[in-house]
Amino acid sequence: MQKKIKAAVIGGSGLTGTELIKIILGHSGLELAYATSRTYKGKKIGEVFPGIGCSQKYVETLNKSQLKQTDVLFLCLPPHDSMQYMAKVLSIYEGIVIDVGSDFRLNSASQYKKWYQADHLLPDLLDKFVYGLPEVNRNQIKGANFIANPGCYPTSVLLALYPLLDSKLINPESLVIDSKSGISGAGRKLKEAYQFLNLSENFYAYSPLGHRHTGEIEQEIAKIYGKKLKVSFTPHLLPVDRGIFSSLYVPAVNLDEKKVAETYHHYYQQSLFVKYVNHIPQIRQVAGTNNCLIASAYDKDSKILKIFSVIDNLVKGAAGQAVQNMNIALGLEEDQGLRLQGIRT
């Protein structure tokens, strides 16, 4: 019998951390070695979260011996915390690190300071992290030791744009991105705006200027398109528990709709999780899965190409994509542990 890969979830009681634990427990090649939580240290995971059938106990932190026994570290930590954790363990830990947080997505310390209003503690480590968008960077992810999991919004946006950008079928100079996310994108933190009475039967935009994911989107578009540009990105909060729906608007004169469809099918024909569909996709169609569904419509009157993309922000936008990255890095089947059934019908 093949030895199981030992995984540790740092920040295992947050929404992303618990989603990741559920996936690890269902992964035939993985063993949950450790899960950390300052809040619930010493308590059984299944006691804190009865929906997770796990008798393992949370630990507050990992010592040197535990780190050396771990093959993969999943960092499910808030902004600024992943780099602090890495600064402590970098000289000790020798396995794979997948940062599901945001500290290693941007390639330069100056960009990190611009978008996250803090100095990066490990600027020399930034270029060692591979941007873990599998459908775009699969070859770089193979064998990588440091992987930065993309943000949930950028995942939905970049997967929708990649085929058309890479094939130069569109010009993104005047790209407008309108994204909506479920409340789980904000994590477990208590905030008045996220309370039921304020969110139920409500819908609104937030951070219309300077949202942190804008820099990440612009950075990765430049890599694909070969040119730096600015995009207009506005996120919104939906009164649903999970899911992201992104609508993208691209000016395009005399666009061949058939060519657009053919391009998507060509780029994603071998993809296990990304599909171009002939209907406007819905959040309920991807909830609980690692899938991304994409569709498009060309408005001949306004000369605007409209692109629609849906993902589950906790799975393809976070925990599921992290495991997908790990599978690729270690040479496992890409969908191992990720053959998930949706939670909506």
Side-chain angles (χ1 to χ4, degrees), residues 66-336:
Q66 291 168 326
L67 281 167
K68 288 184 177 294
Q69 295 169 23
T70 302
D71 301 306
V72 182
L73 277 180
F74 291 99
L75 307 184
C76 301
L77 299 170
H80 314 314
D81 285 10
S82 289
M83 61 180 176
Q84 292 177 20
Y85 188 85
M86 284 297 296
K88 295 176 182 177
V89 307
L90 190 58
S91 62
I92 304 169
Y93 182 67
E94 298 178 350
I96 293 174
V97 176
I98 300 178
D99 183 20
V100 193
S102 55
D103 285 359
F104 295 94
R105 294 170 184 164
L106 297 175
N107 299 145
S108 75
S110 62
Q111 283 293 298
Y112 183 85
K113 186 167 186 176
K114 174 182 177 180
W115 294 103
Y116 288 88
Q117 291 78 53
D119 292 320
H120 205 286
L121 298 179
L122 300 169
D124 294 339
L125 199 59
L126 288 172
D127 63 358
K128 292 181 172 60
F129 271 80
V130 174
Y131 189 73
L133 192 61
E135 290 75 18
V136 178
N137 297 327
R138 184 175 284 103
N139 291 335
Q140 297 97 303
I141 295 166
K142 291 177 181 177
N145 286 325
F146 299 106
I147 300 169
N149 225 52
C152 50
Y153 281 129
T155 294
S156 70
V157 169
L158 295 169
L159 289 175
L161 287 174
Y162 171 56
L164 305 186
L165 287 177
D166 191 57
S167 62
K168 300 294 190 291
L169 203 57
I170 59 170
N171 182 338
E173 298 285 341
S174 301
L175 172 66
V176 174
I177 304 166
D178 183 331
S179 294
K180 294 95 173 170
S181 174
I183 187 61
S184 57
R188 290 194 190 277
K189 59 180 176 284
L190 292 175
K191 193 175 179 181
E192 186 177 355
Y194 305 150
Q195 293 176 1
F196 179 79
L197 286 176
N198 293 324
L199 186 64
S200 179
E201 302 296 324
N202 200 6
F203 172 65
Y204 54 89
Y206 67 97
S207 299
L209 302 175
H211 189 279
R212 289 168 170 175
H213 285 174
T214 306
E216 183 181 341
I217 291 169
E218 291 177 350
Q219 169 185 278
E220 297 306 312
I221 284 178
K223 292 178 186 176
I224 299 167
Y225 193 64
K227 184 179 180 181
K228 291 183 179 180
L229 69 155
K230 300 295 181 181
V231 301
S232 174
F233 170 63
T234 306
H236 301 70
L237 190 60
L238 285 171
V240 299
D241 57 353
R242 58 168 74 206
I244 286 178
F245 191 110
S246 288
S247 299
L248 293 74
Y249 305 97
V250 188
V253 179
N254 299 322
L255 189 68
D256 185 340
E257 294 178 82
K258 184 178 179 181
K259 182 65 174 176
V260 170
E262 289 175 348
T263 301
Y264 276 114
H265 286 304
H266 171 71
Y267 273 75
Y268 292 134
Q269 61 184 338
Q270 301 299 323
S271 174
L272 298 172
F273 299 112
V274 183
K275 303 295 179 187
Y276 181 76
V277 295
N278 59 5
H279 64 275
I280 297 177
Q282 301 176 20
I283 285 175
R284 69 185 306 118
Q285 295 168 343
V286 296
T289 77
N290 198 51
N291 297 333
C292 173
L293 299 183
I294 301 168
S296 66
Y298 181 53
D299 188 334
K300 295 179 180 178
D301 293 330
S302 64
K303 307 298 182 186
I304 299 289
L305 175 65
K306 302 177 181 181
I307 309 170
F308 310 103
S309 171
V310 292
I311 63 169
D312 184 320
N313 56 294
L314 292 177
V315 189
K316 184 59 173 169
Q321 187 149 254
V323 172
Q324 186 182 356
N325 278 318
M326 184 214 68
N327 286 342
I328 295 170
L330 292 173
L332 304 177
E333 291 183 34
E334 190 171 330
D335 62 346
Q336 194 168 345

Side-chain angles (χ1 to χ4, degrees), residues 20-30 336-340:
L20 187 49
I21 287 171
K22 288 193 290 184
I23 294 173
I24 290 172
L25 293 174
H27 192 299
S28 60
L30 277 180
Q336 194 168 345
L338 296 171
R339 304 175 188 109
L340 308 171

